[in-house]
Amino acid sequence: MKLPPLKTLPVFETVARLSSFSRAAEALNISQSAVSHQIRQLEDYLGEPLFLRTGRQIRLTEEGNQYFEQISSALSQIERASEQLQGNEDTQLRLAVYSSFAVSWLIPRLPRLQRLHPQLDLDLEMLSELPRMSDRMGDCFIAINPKQRGFSSELLYSERMFPVCSRQYWQQMVDDLGQAGLLDEGPPEKLNTGWIQRYTLLSATSIFEKKNEDWRRWLAVEGETVHGTTRVQHFSHMIMAHEAARHHQGIALSNDYMFDPEDPILVRLPCHILNTGDEFHFAYKTSRRNEAAIRLLKQWLIQEAIRSGLRGEG
């Protein structure tokens, strides 16, 4: 077995993770010159530069980044295997998750997780887009449609979208539609899709990464299109459109993890739903499937998804 100088690998991993020779020296409790020596030794062995140095700034080369992804994963596996053998398995996890899912669904449920599993130490990292999952980003992920070699996943939620607005705004709509002769007395059991465009639509670009695309797809389910006269207020993120709806500014598209049926301000309109095709999964490295912390978190997330109605029993 031909291996590089083994003591250079933790040094490389620390420098790459911290993007600093001085901070790596402090973290490893060795001198900065010793760090530089170990990195030069590893680069000489590999025959490739691992870092680009510009003044005091350093960053990984393309080869260094590829090497870091593999080395950090291998070092983590060695650490976990040793802890398991010693009976000191770590229950600290970094969970990378989309901000809207974390804020609206996960964070309010964390006290229950802490009561059930006080030994689990969970750190949340925010995802802004579908990631290339790696140990560098997190130990596990809640991601949309994750498909990556070496990872396993469990379905938590198949997304469906529906219109919501404030109860005040809904009453104004009912009164307006009644005065226009479109409604009999009181709220309708089902709202005509075409009537929606009489009011301000709150659109979130982040859902389908294109202006009006969320409403275009929702309307298309019943053969409608966005009219040129329809007032559409655009937001970069779904959370912002949702908040605007809470402040009586129009109608937003929401989903099951963002909308609480018992919300005292928001109401779901009696309309059809749009199945977006996005599936939220709990994903983790297959090689880590038997770790106690991964198993605990996976089991709890599935139970909570079922309990809250995001996922069926099956």
Side-chain angles (χ1 to χ4, degrees):
M1 182 180 294
K2 189 177 181 182
L3 295 172
L6 294 182
K7 63 181 180 180
T8 66
L9 299 182
V11 176
F12 165 70
E13 189 277 338
T14 306
V15 174
R17 176 164 44 84
L18 299 177
S19 299
S20 168
F21 279 63
S22 59
R23 289 201 295 270
E26 184 178 347
L28 295 168
N29 198 27
I30 59 177
S31 68
Q32 187 169 336
S33 62
V35 169
S36 298
H37 173 74
Q38 296 287 352
I39 296 301
R40 281 197 303 272
Q41 188 178 2
L42 182 59
E43 289 179 327
D44 289 343
Y45 175 85
L46 296 172
E48 293 283 353
L50 299 174
F51 294 97
L52 294 174
R53 300 161 177 84
T54 307
R56 295 184 179 181
Q57 302 294 318
I58 66 165
R59 61 185 177 88
L60 287 163
T61 62
E62 184 177 345
E63 294 78 12
N65 190 60
Q66 292 174 359
Y67 196 59
F68 173 69
E69 293 287 351
Q70 295 173 315
I71 289 300
S72 61
S73 178
L75 290 174
S76 295
Q77 284 185 284
I78 292 170
E79 180 182 30
R80 289 190 295 269
S82 301
E83 288 172 344
Q84 289 174 6
L85 198 60
Q86 293 172 327
N88 298 323
E89 189 169 359
D90 191 9
T91 53
Q92 183 175 11
L93 281 179
R94 292 169 300 140
L95 173 63
V97 58
Y98 298 107
S99 58
S100 57
F101 193 90
V103 170
S104 302
W105 189 86
L106 179 59
I107 291 175
R109 290 169 169 78
L110 288 183
R112 186 154 48 243
L113 173 63
Q114 292 162 358
R115 287 195 302 270
L116 289 172
H117 304 294
Q119 75 279 29
L120 190 61
D121 184 4
L122 188 65
D123 293 339
L124 298 185
E125 304 284 344
M126 189 176 73
L127 293 178
S128 58
E129 57 185 17
L130 183 64
R132 174 167 177 77
M133 298 177 291
S134 73
D135 290 329
R136 188 177 183 181
M137 182 175 294
D139 299 301
C140 46
F141 304 80
I142 294 177
I144 295 174
N145 305 333
K147 294 178 181 178
Q148 192 169 314
R149 181 184 297 179
F151 279 79
S152 299
S153 66
E154 295 285 345
L155 175 66
L156 298 178
Y157 172 55
S158 297
E159 187 178 44
R160 56 183 201 154
M161 304 197 74
F162 43 81
V164 300
C165 67
S166 71
R167 296 179 186 275
Q168 175 183 313
Y169 198 88
W170 173 231
Q171 187 58 56
Q172 292 172 353
M173 289 174 61
V174 171
D175 293 343
D176 176 68
L177 292 169
Q179 291 173 9
L182 297 173
L183 287 181
D184 295 329
E185 188 174 340
E189 291 186 6
K190 189 176 190 310
L191 190 63
N192 186 299
T193 303
W195 297 345
I196 288 280
Q197 298 195 68
R198 296 167 61 97
Y199 307 97
T200 300
L201 305 183
L202 308 172
S203 176
T205 309
S206 63
I207 301 174
F208 298 110
E209 299 182 352
K210 186 178 179 182
K211 282 189 174 183
N212 292 356
E213 186 65 11
D214 50 352
W215 281 106
R216 189 197 69 76
R217 294 195 190 194
W218 184 84
L219 289 164
V221 171
E222 295 202 349
E224 293 277 349
T225 60
V226 179
H227 301 158
T229 56
T230 302
R231 172 171 166 73
V232 182
Q233 177 68 53
H234 297 102
F235 299 89
S236 64
H237 200 283
M238 191 174 175
I239 290 178
M240 298 170 71
H242 213 259
E243 195 63 18
R246 297 181 71 85
H247 286 82
H248 327 299
Q249 294 175 26
I251 306 169
L253 286 170
S254 186
N255 60 28
D256 294 286
Y257 70 76
M258 292 195 69
F259 176 72
D260 180 357
E262 298 180 4
D263 192 307
I265 297 177
L266 290 179
V267 62
R268 176 177 168 178
L269 302 190
C271 300
H272 67 273
I273 64 170
L274 166 67
N275 294 307
T276 67
D278 284 342
E279 293 185 342
F280 288 70
H281 289 250
F282 175 65
Y284 50 92
K285 275 195 171 179
T286 305
S287 62
R288 300 183 62 179
R289 64 189 178 279
N290 292 322
E291 289 182 24
I294 296 282
R295 292 201 311 270
L296 280 176
L297 183 57
K298 178 179 72 172
Q299 182 182 37
W300 179 79
L301 284 169
I302 292 172
Q303 289 173 346
E304 283 298 307
I306 293 171
R307 183 174 174 273
S308 65
L310 289 190
R311 168 177 157 159
E313 296 277 355

